[in-house]
Amino acid sequence: MLAVLIGLAGALIFGSADFIGGIASKRISPVRVTAVGGLSGLAVLLLALPAIGGTWSSQAVLLGAISGVSGSLAIVLLYACLAIGPMSILSPVTAVVSALVPALAGVLRGERLNGLAYVALALALVAVVLVGFVPEKGAVRPSLKALGMAVASGALIGFFLIVIDLTPADSGLVPLVVNRTVNASIMFAVVLIAWLLGRRRPHGRPTDALLPGAGWRPGLWLAIAGGAVDATANALLLVGLRLGDLTVQSVLTALYPAGTIILAAVVLKERIAPVQIVGLVLALVAAAMLAIA
């Protein structure tokens, strides 16, 4: 029960972080947001490390680094698709895919799913169709590009969950510290390369595909806040994985769209069609069924 409560809390915090990151990405680009968020998240984890602790080992460092690479790509794609929108549609699509990947990995490793789990997987697939592919007048349909990024992000998040679950039980926050270090290093390197390429252009402008927007200022504080909130959610996820199972925690984490959808509805006034609401409900029901299966 404690693992479930921690998973649910982490999911809501993840949803809040994604909303903040999506808004920031509209102002200073997903690459910049991920870079700044990686740095602020690292600061939060370093402050918590002495209290929570963890044993440094080659396995913890290696897996943390691998998760940092996959996590960087996942967050960039997630923030990019959320910046395009609609958040209330793309966030659940990403979540469902991120839950399916660890579940399928468990099946491939020999884990057996009961009848309820298979029903949940079928519902999850129906939910993806309803929220992303069913045309309806007045619906806020995502573009094919945004939908593709959401699916890719979900797959990478699922891979991240698998890798973090493989970290040693005594490693504490060490894998996440390494994760954020790698994350921030990769993203700032990308920013630097884009800036250097931009200087070679006639007008000295950065590569638009990587660094659109007006510099760093417009969304800097949002990016800092999003990174700190996301790091907190990751810490809760790690605790949940230590107390519970990968499949359960991955599905509970996939409930994070609840936080994103609530904030998108309140702050952005996003509206969705009735058929898409049914899809969102099915996605959340599927996640809950997987959690208790």
Side-chain angles (χ1 to χ4, degrees):
M1 181 59 70
L2 180 59
V4 171
L5 292 176
I6 291 175
L8 290 173
L12 291 176
I13 297 174
F14 268 125
S16 300
D18 292 343
F19 176 81
I20 296 171
I23 295 297
S25 295
K26 291 183 178 182
R27 303 180 182 182
I28 64 173
S29 90
V31 175
R32 288 193 179 103
V33 172
T34 306
V36 173
L39 201 58
S40 63
L42 176 60
V44 169
L45 292 171
L46 287 175
L47 289 174
L49 184 60
I52 298 177
T55 301
W56 290 82
S57 65
S58 58
Q59 185 180 3
V61 172
L62 177 60
L63 292 175
I66 294 173
S67 73
V69 175
S70 62
S72 299
L73 294 174
I75 294 173
V76 169
L77 288 170
L78 177 61
Y79 288 173
C81 74
L82 292 181
I84 296 173
M87 286 188 181
S88 54
I89 301 301
L90 295 171
S91 183
V93 171
T94 304
V96 170
V97 175
S98 71
L100 288 175
V101 169
L104 292 175
V107 172
L108 293 175
R109 289 188 299 186
E111 295 180 8
R112 293 185 178 181
L113 299 179
N114 58 28
L116 183 61
Y118 284 112
V119 172
L121 292 176
L123 284 178
L125 294 176
V126 173
V128 171
V129 173
L130 290 178
V131 299
F133 299 100
V134 175
E136 180 171 319
K137 185 177 180 180
V140 282
R141 291 184 293 274
S143 65
L144 185 61
K145 177 183 177 181
L147 198 58
M149 287 192 294
V151 172
S153 176
L156 287 167
I157 292 172
F159 178 75
F160 163 82
L161 292 170
I162 294 170
V163 173
I164 288 297
D165 184 57
L166 293 175
T167 57
D170 63 349
S171 59
L173 290 180
V174 170
L176 293 182
V177 170
V178 177
N179 170 288
R180 290 291 162 159
T181 302
V182 171
N183 184 310
S185 299
I186 291 175
M187 290 298 102
F188 275 109
V190 172
V191 170
L192 177 60
I193 292 171
W195 179 75
L196 290 174
L197 291 174
R199 293 196 63 179
R200 295 183 180 181
R201 293 189 168 194
H203 302 290
R205 294 179 180 177
T207 306
D208 292 340
L210 292 176
L211 302 176
W216 298 82
R217 282 190 176 184
L220 180 61
W221 288 108
L222 282 173
I224 292 174
V229 174
D230 186 67
T232 303
N234 273 282
L236 288 174
L237 168 65
L238 186 62
V239 174
L241 286 171
R242 295 289 181 257
L243 296 175
D245 298 324
L246 170 62
T247 302
V248 173
Q249 287 301 313
S250 63
V251 174
L252 289 174
T253 300
L255 293 173
Y256 73 80
T260 306
I261 291 171
I262 292 171
L263 289 174
V266 173
V267 179
L268 302 181
K269 308 299 181 183
E270 285 190 357
R271 293 185 179 182
I272 56 179
V275 67
Q276 293 171 309
I277 294 177
V278 173
L280 297 180
V281 172
L282 285 179
L284 296 178
V285 169
M289 290 172 65
L290 283 171
I292 63 175

